[in-house]
Amino acid sequence: MRIKIVVLFLILASILFAGCVGYQEPDVPEATPTEIATETPTEVETPTEVETPTEVETPTEMATETEEATPTPEPKTWTIRLENFLSRPSEVEINKGDTVVWMNFNDPIRQFILVSKDGLWEDIAIGYRRTFTYTFEESGTYNYTVLGFEQRMSGSVIVK
């Protein structure tokens, strides 16, 4: 029994001693501006011969109409939360190429069946904290609903 106490004491003493001795980083002298080496070029090379083009092509036809490029907005992602047995927001107005993500954050935890009234996707089950993503490529108004909660969990996506 005495040996166990002595061994335990030695282990605790070594842990205590190891905690008291800290690691010190070696002192590194800071460089002074005179010690920093700077490199200056001693000689600059200059080209001796420069090639000049002998013939320059000129366009024969000029465009008469200027085409104005309308900038296409970057595709965005919109989120519709299925929460507290509501669909928020219930109406979203987006551009072609934008993506809509339906997220299930309902409390109490349950699975919802998302239905496209326009047949864009097959009925999809969205579990708790899961998502369903759809990218809208055509203009129009598209309606969706959640089975069993049609009155409170319906909405539309308006694509411009």
Side-chain angles (χ1 to χ4, degrees):
M1 180 73 171
R2 274 196 133 124
I3 295 175
K4 289 182 181 179
I5 293 174
V6 171
V7 170
L8 182 61
F9 178 73
L10 289 175
I11 291 173
L12 290 174
S14 64
I15 292 173
L16 181 64
F17 179 72
C20 292
V21 178
Y23 173 75
Q24 278 188 322
E25 292 187 24
D27 290 333
V28 178
E30 293 186 23
T32 59
T34 57
E35 295 174 355
I36 298 174
T38 59
E39 194 175 303
T40 57
T42 56
E43 194 174 306
V44 178
E45 293 183 24
T46 57
T48 55
E49 247 180 70
V50 177
E51 292 184 25
T52 56
T54 55
E55 292 182 27
V56 178
E57 292 183 26
T58 57
T60 55
E61 289 184 28
M62 298 294 289
T64 56
E65 292 183 22
T66 57
E67 294 181 23
E68 290 185 24
T70 55
T72 310
E74 291 292 319
K76 294 182 182 178
T77 300
W78 303 84
T79 302
I80 297 175
R81 293 176 65 100
L82 304 175
E83 186 172 34
N84 296 326
F85 297 101
L86 295 171
S87 174
R88 294 184 198 162
S90 61
E91 186 175 292
V92 179
E93 190 170 309
I94 65 172
N95 294 318
K96 282 196 284 188
D98 286 356
T99 300
V100 175
V101 178
W102 284 267
M103 300 178 81
N104 180 354
F105 284 107
N106 199 65
D107 188 24
I109 297 173
R110 68 174 301 124
Q111 177 174 306
F112 290 121
I113 307 294
L114 185 67
V115 176
S116 167
K117 291 183 178 180
D118 304 297
L120 296 178
W121 61 82
E122 291 184 25
D123 298 358
I124 184 81
I126 305 173
Y128 180 69
R129 296 222 176 213
R130 300 284 185 228
T131 62
F132 170 69
T133 304
Y134 188 83
T135 302
F136 290 85
E137 300 294 340
E138 299 292 324
S139 298
T141 300
Y142 303 98
N143 298 308
Y144 66 90
T145 190
V146 174
L147 279 183
F149 304 96
E150 290 84 356
Q151 295 299 320
R152 298 186 67 193
M153 299 183 81
S154 313
S156 57
V157 178
I158 302 166
V159 184
K160 297 190 245 174

